[in-house]
Amino acid sequence: MAKCMDRIRGIVRAELRGALPEAALNACALRGVELWDLECVDPYTLRLTTYESQLEQLRAAIEGSMCQMQVLSRRGGSRNRRMLRRRKWLLLSAALAAALLGLSSLFIWEIQVVGCEKLSRGQILRALEDCGVSRGTYWPALSTDLVRSRMLTELPELAWMTVNVNGSRAVVLVSERQEKPEIYLESQASDLVAGRTGIITGMSVLNGKPLVEKGQAVTEGEVLISAVMDSLTNAPRLVRAQGSVEADTWYELTAVCPLEIREKAPEGHTHSRLALKIGKKRINLYVGSGKPLDGYDKIIYEYNLGLDGMFALPVTLIREELCRRETAPAECRAEREMERRLLEDLQERIDGEIVSSSFSVSRSGGLLLVTLRAQCSENIAERAELP
Amino acid sequence: MIENHRGILEYGREHIVVSTGRGKISLTGSGLKLEAMNKCQLLIGGELKNVEWE
């Protein structure tokens, strides 16, 4: 920054030659001339740097010190000003660009969403647009409180949000609402029943009366922990059964896929085309935009112009990659994928872990069948409310 | 950095003498250089070997 300021003010490198260069330095100092980068070439020669605006003071100071001065080089200052005077259009363009940049920074050209997990970025951007925040919005007129209130009404999944505008970039911070935990009445009596047939390997009873024991086989729907508690002195009382019952269970899941499918095959013919988006206006940099694109896959890449984290310009470069693809019959090769999906599906179904698993593959009637057989260890206790 | 100096009496790469009004400061070393100078302050760079107050 200091170097830049020096260039604007203009600096001069000069050489002093004489019997007493030190006397010249002292005279300069007395007159308030700022000197730096002093280089002693020999006992009678000194080289120094000063501001261009102090050159005349320097000349006056050395007049009485038996020295001669020679300017070796000049940088910036009047030289730059003369150059800019000759290039009026360059100066005018630079001033216009600076003015446009300043003006464009009053509008939002980029919206960044931070903190969304369940809600998609698109949902938030659409809701923001309904609340009056989109590309090209004049941000000094925005009321963050108003936008927040409207957004929370539009999207009940949001617990809190705010919009921070930094130049032309709006950063939308959102915090999603936490789901309420299951709320139950302590007084509501309920049993725990088996959600699946299996062999019990362990029990942990916190409330209620256990009706089964470790090593026992149970069928689906059988009561594991009863809500009815016997009493020696009073009538049986009803409680809310609580606990967990671990059991070995067995699953058989099958996935089916046609043996012959039609899949997209790249034809190899790919081409790109460019477009510019200035504000909300799109300018195609190609001809034939009305041409139908049936049979083409289109991938769009967008590049926002600007300095990341500082400012964004209202100009976006869009590159569309078009790839022609044709569908062709192909043999289904999705065995591995089907096996993976079956395992994922099973893992989602159970409240425990898969102990062992095996797959079998068969082809019949034009279909590919993949079967998963697995042994699991899981908590099979499920709540059954008493009437 | 020397403040409130009254001028340079000698200036060389190995020897610089600065007037302070009440005396002289003699600096000896190698590659000595006046980095900056104005009415009140002097900034001297280089490898200093000896500083003497005369």
Side-chain angles (χ1 to χ4, degrees):
Chain A
M1 190 66 190
K3 276 190 177 179
C4 190
M5 287 306 291
D6 285 350
R7 283 294 177 93
I8 292 168
R9 286 184 69 176
I11 54 173
V12 176
R13 184 83 177 148
E15 189 176 84
L16 300 185
R17 194 185 288 269
L20 282 169
E22 295 90 345
L25 290 184
N26 295 335
C28 290
L30 278 175
R31 283 174 180 264
V33 179
E34 287 180 60
L35 306 170
W36 67 94
D37 200 12
L38 287 101
E39 188 188 346
C40 181
V41 181
D42 58 55
Y44 307 106
T45 314
L46 266 179
R47 282 182 187 160
L48 50 87
T49 309
T50 187
Y51 289 117
E52 193 182 30
S53 57
Q54 295 186 325
L55 191 61
E56 287 312 309
Q57 280 174 277
L58 179 66
R59 277 187 212 282
I62 63 168
E63 257 177 18
S65 58
M66 292 184 290
C67 279
Q68 286 181 329
M69 189 186 79
Q70 187 189 351
V71 175
L72 298 175
S73 64
R74 289 170 189 261
R75 276 189 222 159
S78 60
R79 200 175 156 187
N80 282 3
R81 283 194 289 276
R82 274 200 303 277
M83 191 185 74
L84 285 174
R85 237 176 265 143
R86 283 201 301 273
R87 293 171 175 82
K88 278 182 187 165
W89 286 109
L90 178 70
L91 197 64
L92 203 67
S93 308
L96 190 69
L100 282 175
L101 193 67
L103 192 70
S104 80
S105 67
L106 296 174
F107 297 87
I108 292 170
W109 299 116
E110 192 184 342
I111 300 174
Q112 200 178 345
V113 181
V114 180
C116 55
E117 287 172 5
K118 290 173 205 158
L119 286 168
S120 71
R121 187 175 177 269
Q123 279 176 295
I124 291 169
L125 288 180
R126 274 192 294 278
L128 274 171
E129 198 167 353
D130 291 343
C131 300
V133 182
S134 61
R135 278 172 67 97
T137 302
Y138 180 65
W139 64 259
L142 266 185
S143 163
T144 310
D145 290 340
L146 200 65
V147 172
R148 185 190 300 128
S149 309
R150 287 190 63 186
M151 280 289 285
L152 295 182
T153 320
E154 290 253 338
L155 295 172
E157 296 90 344
L158 286 184
W160 173 86
M161 65 92 58
T162 189
V163 182
N164 295 325
V165 181
N166 180 15
S168 295
R169 188 186 305 268
V171 181
V172 183
L173 294 170
V174 296
S175 173
E176 290 172 355
R177 201 175 289 281
Q178 298 290 319
E179 277 182 25
K180 279 184 188 173
E182 186 193 355
I183 296 169
Y184 59 84
L185 287 171
E186 280 289 346
S187 55
Q188 175 68 47
S190 59
D191 291 329
L192 285 180
V193 299
R196 186 154 184 91
T197 300
I199 297 172
I200 294 167
T201 55
M203 289 182 76
S204 168
V205 181
L206 302 174
N207 201 8
K209 181 182 169 189
L211 300 183
V212 289
E213 58 188 26
K214 190 176 169 183
Q216 187 179 333
V218 291
T219 53
E220 191 176 340
E222 195 175 329
V223 177
L224 302 173
I225 303 172
S226 172
V228 184
M229 296 279 282
D230 295 330
S231 172
L232 290 172
T233 52
N234 292 317
R237 61 192 172 90
L238 293 173
V239 295
R240 184 178 179 82
Q242 284 184 341
S244 64
V245 179
E246 292 290 327
D248 281 342
T249 54
W250 287 265
Y251 286 83
E252 188 174 305
L253 303 177
T254 303
V256 182
C257 171
L259 269 175
E260 196 175 86
I261 56 166
R262 292 188 74 80
E263 68 177 21
K264 281 184 175 179
E267 206 187 45
H269 180 61
T270 305
H271 72 272
S272 298
R273 56 191 199 181
L274 298 171
L276 267 182
K277 200 170 172 189
I278 302 172
K280 290 180 180 176
K281 174 88 178 162
R282 181 187 162 114
I283 301 165
N284 292 331
L285 304 176
Y286 53 87
V287 288
S289 55
K291 207 168 123 183
L293 292 171
D294 298 337
Y296 278 90
D297 276 1
K298 186 159 76 172
I299 305 167
I300 300 172
Y301 300 94
E302 288 196 358
Y303 308 98
N304 275 319
L305 298 188
L307 277 179
D308 196 28
M310 287 184 74
F311 67 89
L313 289 174
V315 184
T316 307
L317 181 70
I318 300 166
R319 185 166 69 86
E320 292 177 351
E321 206 172 274
L322 302 165
C323 182
R324 187 170 176 78
R325 291 176 188 271
E326 283 198 346
T327 53
E331 194 189 340
C332 179
R333 296 179 296 270
E335 284 175 31
R336 292 282 168 271
E337 178 62 18
M338 287 161 80
E339 288 174 6
R340 190 182 65 80
R341 294 287 288 273
L342 280 170
L343 272 177
E344 276 180 11
D345 186 31
L346 177 60
Q347 192 63 62
E348 271 179 27
R349 285 185 191 201
I350 63 172
D351 177 15
E353 58 179 10
I354 300 167
V355 177
S356 62
S357 63
S358 64
F359 293 97
S360 63
V361 180
S362 62
R363 291 172 173 81
S364 66
L367 295 171
L368 173 72
L369 288 99
V370 178
T371 305
L372 164 67
R373 290 180 185 86
Q375 183 188 339
C376 304
S377 174
E378 59 173 319
N379 176 19
I380 56 168
E382 277 184 4
R383 190 159 299 285
E385 303 288 346
L386 290 183
Chain B
M1 162 81 78
I2 300 172
E3 290 185 322
N4 298 322
H5 70 91
R6 295 290 163 87
I8 296 170
L9 301 176
E10 281 181 57
Y11 181 49
R13 283 179 193 162
E14 285 158 3
H15 188 59
I16 296 177
V17 182
V18 181
S19 167
T20 60
R22 291 184 182 178
K24 293 186 283 184
I25 296 175
S26 175
L27 306 165
T28 315
S30 56
L32 296 181
K33 190 180 174 186
L34 256 178
E35 298 286 354
M37 179 183 185
N38 63 20
K39 198 173 178 179
C40 305
Q41 295 170 326
L42 272 179
L43 183 64
I44 295 170
E47 196 179 325
L48 271 177
K49 284 183 184 155
N50 192 28
V51 180
E52 277 181 32
W53 177 267
E54 296 170 10

